[in-house]
Amino acid sequence: MNRRRLLTLTAAALTAGILLPVGTASASTASAGAAAGAAAGEPDPVVGALQRRAVPLGDLDGVVRMFGDARVVALGEASHSGHEFFALKARLFKRLVATRGFTTFALEASWSTGLRLDTYVTRGVGDPEQIMRDEFQGQYVFWNTDEYLDLIRWMRHYNVSHPRRPALRFVGNDLGYPGPEAFDQVTSYVTAHRPGVAGRIAALYAGLRPARNASAGAWMGQQLGKDPASRRAEADRAERALTVLRASGRPRGSAGRAYDWAVQNATAVAQSFTGYAFPDEEFPERMRYRDQVMADNTAWWLAHTNGRILLAANNGHVAYTSDNPQEFPEPVGAFLREKLGRKYVSVGLTFNEGSLNALPDYTAQQPQKYTVAPAPVGHNEHTLDQVRHRDFALDLRTAPSEARAWLDTARPTRSYGLYWSDQDPETALGRSYDIVIHLHRVEAARLRTLASVKDGHSHS
């Protein structure tokens, strides 16, 4: 069944920021000639070429050198719930903090969620476990893990231990849940600096701001249960509030920075309600808007804070090209390359075998653990796993000529979002990423949201 049709079956699956399994193309027989040669005992020239340039992950500084002077390094993942993917992001972030002046960890999560976690990381306010329970729900359920909790606690410890160094920051760049913290930033600013428009903005925001104790997952589901006209009307009110704020003018002096942050928070509120306002039949337009928002928020943070950013998101977001342009027209990576040029570096993560957590289908609430068998012949991962290093990185921009045609050819590549899928989209690695990091084995991440995760099916 077409995924757009499945989206009509449940409000939860219609969330504006939802990430579906990327691509629906069936497996192909690309690179069959090389596979036949390997079966006959002949050395595969592609594998040999890749092997000469592969940098083992044990040489983390060698991997970091591939990033050059990038200001945003986007580190993807082939699954939203793999322990090794999350652990690698934390490991690389720590090294980038120590050696390259990186200060921000950006996550594919709601802007207002980022505000709460950033307040903890920078000032020690709040309980990160509670924040994650409150915020990582619905489409963000797979972020509530031990791996991310450990990273957030490390960031706080770093800030306490290094008071004279630039503070580490946490930001969410997505639009799924417009939490009360974003509204608070706007209303606090106008009350202090533009009281003449405070009443107008309060009236426009009336009924839009979620309650302080609202469940993020329930709020998102309820929002999608509203009729399209109501969703459009709410988006219009959020946009008018942003217009009023901008029209009030930027004050001189120190208040100017407060204005900038208020405008960005009002923008984030408007982004969220606009995302929900797209008619269901405009699913591709909704997804393009979402990816553009994620890129815009990342670029805004980069321009208004010190340091550099490690961006954590799905492979389908960080890539330059979409492997399913009919439903996901333009990824975050394409927008950020346009904004930042070579200061943006895209890193795709692949894996050969292991396990992962995913929801069984578009209506399920209970994640399951799935076993993933070794990649079959014809998949990108099958060839990558023949390189002698167990886990390694490849700079695709400087790949040998013997591997260039292989890298620029689309072939089946595993990609999982929220949902389990046995359909692997066809991806040309060389046209999608600057760098690929391949892991031999990945195990399911340690979810904190549920007492148990049921075993699901295998995928060969």
Side-chain angles (χ1 to χ4, degrees):
M1 184 181 295
N2 184 278
R3 283 178 298 168
R4 200 178 306 170
R5 169 61 181 151
L6 281 170
L7 285 172
T8 66
L9 300 179
T10 171
L14 288 170
T15 302
I18 206 162
L19 179 61
L20 303 174
V22 182
T24 58
S26 60
S28 74
T29 57
S31 70
E42 301 173 9
D44 186 336
V46 171
V47 173
L50 298 177
Q51 195 159 275
R52 291 195 301 272
R53 298 295 180 88
V55 176
L57 286 191
D59 179 12
L60 205 61
D61 288 329
V63 177
V64 167
R65 281 194 291 273
M66 294 181 184
F67 303 155
D69 62 351
R71 299 194 67 202
V72 176
V73 173
L75 194 54
E77 58 201 20
S79 162
H80 269 332
S81 196
H83 167 75
E84 284 75 12
F85 292 149
F86 295 165
L88 179 60
K89 291 172 194 284
R91 185 181 170 203
L92 276 171
F93 181 62
K94 293 174 183 179
R95 186 60 61 93
L96 290 168
V97 168
T99 64
R100 296 297 180 99
F102 278 61
T103 56
T104 295
F105 189 88
L107 181 63
E108 179 190 334
S110 299
W111 175 267
S112 56
T113 301
L115 294 178
R116 292 188 70 184
L117 288 171
D118 188 59
T119 298
Y120 168 76
V121 166
T122 56
R123 295 192 279 131
V125 176
D127 175 1
E129 291 189 62
Q130 184 62 51
I131 295 170
M132 292 170 69
R133 282 195 297 270
D134 292 344
E135 302 282 340
F136 291 152
Q137 300 179 10
Q139 69 202 57
Y140 306 114
V141 65
F142 291 116
W143 300 154
N144 191 3
T145 65
D146 288 339
E147 293 89 350
Y148 274 131
L149 179 60
D150 290 344
L151 173 61
I152 291 164
R153 284 175 167 163
W154 175 85
M155 292 172 69
R156 175 59 190 158
H157 177 74
Y158 178 96
N159 285 339
V160 171
S161 304
H162 302 87
R164 296 185 180 181
R165 297 181 187 176
L168 301 187
R169 308 291 301 272
F170 189 101
V171 62
N173 68 356
D174 207 356
L175 49 59
Y177 176 57
E181 290 73 22
F183 289 87
D184 292 346
Q185 294 273 347
V186 179
T187 56
S188 294
Y189 167 79
V190 294
T191 299
H193 300 284
R194 290 291 187 263
V197 302
R200 293 175 62 191
I201 289 179
L204 289 167
Y205 279 166
L208 299 185
R209 181 199 305 257
R212 188 70 58 185
N213 60 348
S215 165
W219 188 95
M220 290 187 283
Q222 291 166 3
Q223 187 68 11
L224 286 164
K226 297 178 180 178
D227 64 88
S230 296
R231 284 185 270 159
R232 180 68 262 170
E234 290 183 340
D236 290 343
R237 288 167 54 198
E239 285 285 354
R240 289 202 303 273
L242 174 59
T243 299
V244 170
L245 177 60
R246 284 175 170 160
S248 69
R250 189 179 192 273
R252 296 179 179 179
S254 60
R257 179 172 171 79
Y259 168 86
D260 294 339
W261 280 87
V263 168
Q264 172 58 18
N265 278 279
T267 299
V269 169
Q271 288 168 344
S272 183
F273 284 94
T274 299
Y276 286 101
F278 280 88
D280 299 338
E281 60 271 18
E282 295 183 9
F283 180 78
E285 291 79 5
R286 177 191 294 167
M287 292 299 100
R288 186 184 190 280
Y289 177 77
R290 181 205 179 192
D291 276 56
Q292 183 169 19
V293 161
M294 293 170 70
D296 288 346
N297 289 339
T298 302
W300 185 92
W301 187 274
L302 183 67
H304 289 80
T305 62
N306 295 322
R308 304 181 181 206
I309 299 173
L310 179 69
L311 170 59
N314 187 273
N315 280 347
H317 287 303
V318 308
Y320 294 123
T321 61
S322 173
D323 49 31
N324 182 11
Q326 290 74 31
E327 295 188 357
F328 303 91
E330 194 166 3
V332 175
F335 289 113
L336 283 175
R337 170 53 60 86
E338 182 179 354
K339 291 175 180 291
L340 303 177
R342 297 297 173 180
K343 298 296 183 182
Y344 172 78
V345 170
S346 170
V347 186
L349 266 62
T350 61
F351 75 109
N352 182 60
E353 61 182 285
S355 64
L356 55 88
N357 300 313
L359 293 170
D361 56 45
Y362 301 92
T363 62
Q365 300 295 317
Q366 175 75 29
Q368 292 186 11
K369 181 178 177 181
Y370 292 87
T371 299
V372 182
V377 174
H379 278 56
N380 276 320
E381 297 90 344
H382 177 80
T383 300
L384 291 171
D385 211 60
Q386 295 178 55
V387 172
R388 68 172 176 266
H389 304 295
R390 181 179 175 90
D391 303 320
F392 60 90
L394 285 166
D395 190 332
L396 307 184
R397 299 163 296 185
T398 60
S401 58
E402 302 96 317
R404 178 52 56 191
W406 182 84
L407 289 169
D408 288 342
T409 300
R411 57 179 52 80
T413 309
R414 287 165 173 163
S415 184
Y416 307 94
L418 286 176
Y419 304 105
W420 174 253
S421 174
D422 58 4
Q423 297 181 344
D424 297 322
E426 296 197 348
T427 302
L429 298 177
R431 290 187 276 117
S432 299
Y433 312 107
D434 296 309
I435 297 164
V436 162
I437 296 178
H438 179 73
L439 305 180
H440 172 67
R441 186 174 184 86
V442 170
E443 301 297 338
R446 301 189 297 268
L447 290 173
R448 300 180 56 81
T449 51
L450 298 166
S452 62
V453 177
K454 298 179 180 179
D455 286 331
H457 306 291
S458 297
H459 179 25
S460 59

